[in-house]
Amino acid sequence: MTYEELNPKKIFHYFRKISDIPRGSGNEEAVAKYVYDTACALGYEAVLDSANNVFVTAPATPGYEDHAPIMLQGHLDMVCEANKDTEHDFLKDPIKFILDGDLLRADGTTLGADNGVAVAIMLSVLDSDLPHPMLEFLFTTDEETGMGGMSAFDTSLPKSTRLLNLDSAGEGVATVSCAGGVRSHIYFNYDSCDVPANYSTVKFEIGGLFGGHSGEDINLGRIGSIATAGRIIYHAMKSCDIRVASIEGGSRDNAIPRECSLSLAVSDRDLFLTAVREEETKIRGELVEDDRGFFVKVSDEEKAASYLSQLRSGELIAFLVSVPNGVHGMSRDVEGLVETSSNLAVVRKSEDGCEIVISSRSSVSSRLDNMQERIECAARLAAAKVEHVGRYPGWDYMVGSPMQELYLKSNKELFSTDASVMGIHAGLECGLLKGKRPEMDIISIGPDLRNLHSPDEVLSVSSFARLWDLVCKILENA
């Protein structure tokens, strides 16, 4: 079967359409205009705001005029991750689909089903004659890098007090609470120091890691490339003098980093290699199956223009090793749910040195406060500056939620199976909206979607079709 033969045709048609439009976070203008123009062409009232959010209103169908309105919501942007050997320009190239039986993936990049499935379903609802109460549709921007679209959205526009968010992953379960989070930017200034002529200059690289979503996958035991690079280099520093010229790793604050590279000068190449292989062997004994592609590569390279001093090199590597990274606490109320975590996500060049980005999450506000302070302490010891940005609230479980009952009833009628509800460690825009509109009754659902925020992202096409059926049933029963 080809992609064009998949059913129902509308949802796969619209998913293809938006996947042809580059829509990385911060680059949503074109896809927002497509959604706005499509809604207008279908005869609906639509608003395109200054943040490129699109808000659409659809009147109730006959017989549903006295039913309470309901809003559907999802985000337009996607995480742009590609394998190192994949040539893809996320600013102009369409996503290339690969259909493998029931699984849809992209060719070496993220697929964008997070959250393209929501956009496709919402456009399909607008382009259908299914029965429903008055509907409102909110297509937001910048969800993946700080939820800027939802933050900027005028929440006085919706009349609905019921929200169906379509940004979850997994059938038979609805998300009914989520973690809050914050992004920390650490600015580490470089000094400049000459290294002795007899030092060897090398490039140190880590790769082959699985990565994944820094919230939903943080408890799976996968390692991050930046923290792992720091661990290996710190161990090698006990055997020889090491000076750092540059370091780069990761690309998205909400993705577990898969690659990291450093340009180094080392006083003894043989001792350095021995120490690197020692620590690499230890790490291999700790890996989960997902990270089986892990590799460490050391190669000769030309001398850089400048290197950090011995002191500053040590401070940088010590920071990478000591700053909080990974799971830091499990929920006391929900078995198996991560409460607090942080992800050492990105390190990149800055004007005066390097910028390090850490994404922290917690369902307990005071624990998130503490995480920020722990990062501040590690930065202080490394003589670095910290800025916390984009903090967003969590979303607490609502007892006796009619939306939960609507979901459970609709799922039972459609599939003759019992569904369930749960909380997640990832952040959702629902928390921001709930903070502005406390009266909102919210659930979040989605298809079978795995390996989000990585080039291994896959969508079950049959699950996508069933999600469409479920949304239709929920609207029918709403």
Side-chain angles (χ1 to χ4, degrees):
M1 179 179 288
T2 66
Y3 183 87
E4 290 70 25
E5 296 174 301
L6 296 174
N7 286 304
K9 291 193 179 298
K10 269 195 176 68
I11 62 172
F12 290 102
H13 163 76
Y14 281 117
F15 187 62
R16 176 69 272 174
K17 284 289 188 180
I18 63 170
S19 298
D20 286 342
I21 304 171
R23 54 189 175 91
S25 302
N27 185 39
E28 304 100 329
E29 184 175 355
V31 72
K33 188 175 187 306
Y34 169 76
V35 169
Y36 174 80
D37 289 345
T38 300
C40 292
L42 291 169
Y44 296 103
E45 183 178 318
V47 175
L48 176 62
D49 70 16
S50 60
N52 285 316
N53 298 308
V54 183
F55 181 69
V56 184
T57 304
T61 56
Y64 283 79
E65 295 88 348
D66 61 345
H67 291 222
I70 189 168
M71 183 162 72
L72 285 74
Q73 190 263 322
H75 62 85
L76 295 166
D77 60 320
M78 63 175 281
V79 169
C80 296
E81 282 276 293
N83 288 324
K84 201 169 185 179
D85 58 352
T86 298
E87 292 187 9
H88 186 94
D89 187 343
F90 282 106
L91 293 178
K92 64 181 181 181
D93 294 341
I95 300 298
K96 298 175 183 177
F97 288 169
I98 295 176
L99 182 61
D100 181 10
D102 186 52
L103 297 180
L104 182 67
R105 59 171 53 88
D107 187 7
T109 72
T110 37
L111 175 63
D114 173 18
N115 194 213
V117 295
V119 180
I121 282 181
M122 291 158 68
L123 289 174
S124 297
V125 171
L126 286 166
D127 195 11
S128 302
D129 57 0
L130 56 95
H132 58 72
M134 188 190 96
L135 296 179
E136 296 173 316
F137 301 80
L138 176 57
F139 304 82
T140 51
T141 55
D142 193 35
E143 190 271 350
E144 298 290 6
T145 57
M147 304 189 186
M150 183 64 83
S151 296
F153 177 65
D154 180 0
T155 53
S156 68
L157 289 175
K159 297 179 181 178
S160 305
T161 58
R162 301 187 293 172
L163 174 69
L164 179 61
N165 170 279
L166 299 168
D167 192 19
S168 287
E171 287 191 87
V173 60
T175 301
V176 295
S177 68
C178 71
V182 67
R183 191 170 67 251
S184 301
H185 293 254
I186 297 89
Y187 300 97
F188 185 93
N189 289 341
Y190 287 178
D191 61 6
S192 181
C193 181
D194 290 333
V195 297
N198 63 338
Y199 275 41
S200 299
T201 54
V202 299
K203 185 174 184 179
F204 173 91
E205 298 174 271
I206 279 182
L209 297 174
F210 197 91
H213 191 289
S214 64
E216 294 182 0
D217 299 329
I218 200 71
N219 63 328
L220 299 181
R222 300 171 188 165
I223 61 174
S225 58
I226 301 170
T228 303
R231 172 179 168 177
I232 295 173
I233 299 300
Y234 181 75
H235 177 72
M237 279 180 165
K238 297 178 181 180
S239 300
C240 61
D241 183 27
I242 299 175
R243 311 290 179 87
V244 177
S246 64
I247 176 172
E248 291 187 83
S251 60
R252 296 289 183 271
D253 68 279
N254 51 11
I256 300 169
R258 298 176 294 118
E259 297 165 345
C260 185
S261 65
L262 296 92
S263 290
L264 305 171
V266 299
S267 61
D268 190 312
R269 194 180 191 281
D270 291 339
L271 288 177
F272 174 75
L273 287 174
T274 298
V276 166
R277 297 310 172 197
E278 284 177 354
E279 200 65 16
E280 178 190 357
T281 299
K282 294 177 187 177
I283 292 168
R284 287 194 180 280
E286 303 165 5
L287 295 177
V288 297
E289 183 64 19
D290 288 341
D291 284 332
R292 61 189 178 277
F294 169 65
F295 68 81
V296 178
K297 180 181 178 182
V298 177
S299 56
D300 295 327
E301 76 173 358
E302 294 184 5
K303 185 177 180 181
S306 63
Y307 290 84
L308 278 66
S309 65
Q310 183 182 44
L311 174 62
R312 206 72 181 118
S313 295
E315 288 174 335
L316 174 59
I317 299 303
F319 176 83
L320 299 180
V321 174
S322 62
V323 75
N325 183 56
V327 175
H328 303 290
M330 303 298 290
S331 172
R332 292 157 291 180
D333 302 314
V334 181
E335 184 177 355
L337 178 65
V338 177
E339 176 204 82
T340 305
S341 74
S342 62
N343 176 46
L344 176 50
V346 180
V347 58
R348 56 192 171 218
K349 294 178 182 178
S350 67
E351 184 177 349
D352 299 316
C354 69
E355 177 186 6
I356 301 163
V357 184
I358 299 172
S359 174
S360 302
R361 306 173 191 264
S362 184
S363 53
V364 179
S365 181
S366 60
R367 293 295 301 275
L368 196 57
D369 293 339
N370 178 249
M371 188 59 62
Q372 290 185 199
E373 291 175 343
R374 292 177 64 186
I375 292 169
E376 290 167 8
C377 288
R380 185 173 182 177
L381 292 171
K385 296 180 180 179
V386 180
E387 180 184 10
H388 304 295
V389 299
R391 182 156 174 170
Y392 56 90
W395 158 36
D396 292 333
Y397 174 71
M398 180 179 176
V399 179
S401 158
M403 279 297 289
Q404 294 176 31
E405 292 303 317
L406 174 61
Y407 160 73
L408 295 171
K409 172 188 174 182
S410 300
N411 188 88
K412 183 75 171 179
E413 289 180 3
L414 193 60
F415 302 121
S416 300
T417 58
D418 291 324
S420 60
V421 298
M422 70 171 188
I424 62 170
H425 186 57
L428 290 174
E429 293 165 295
C430 304
L432 270 176
L433 185 60
K434 183 77 171 177
K436 296 180 178 182
R437 294 282 299 271
E439 75 278 13
M440 278 282 187
D441 183 6
I442 305 172
I443 64 167
S444 178
I445 60 175
D448 182 4
L449 175 62
R450 301 191 299 275
N451 306 326
L452 287 72
H453 299 186
S454 84
D456 296 296
E457 179 184 5
V458 291
L459 168 68
S460 162
V461 296
S462 61
S463 176
F464 189 17
R466 288 190 292 272
L467 177 64
W468 165 250
D469 292 339
L470 180 57
V471 169
C472 294
K473 177 60 71 173
I474 288 173
L475 297 181
E476 178 187 338
N477 288 337

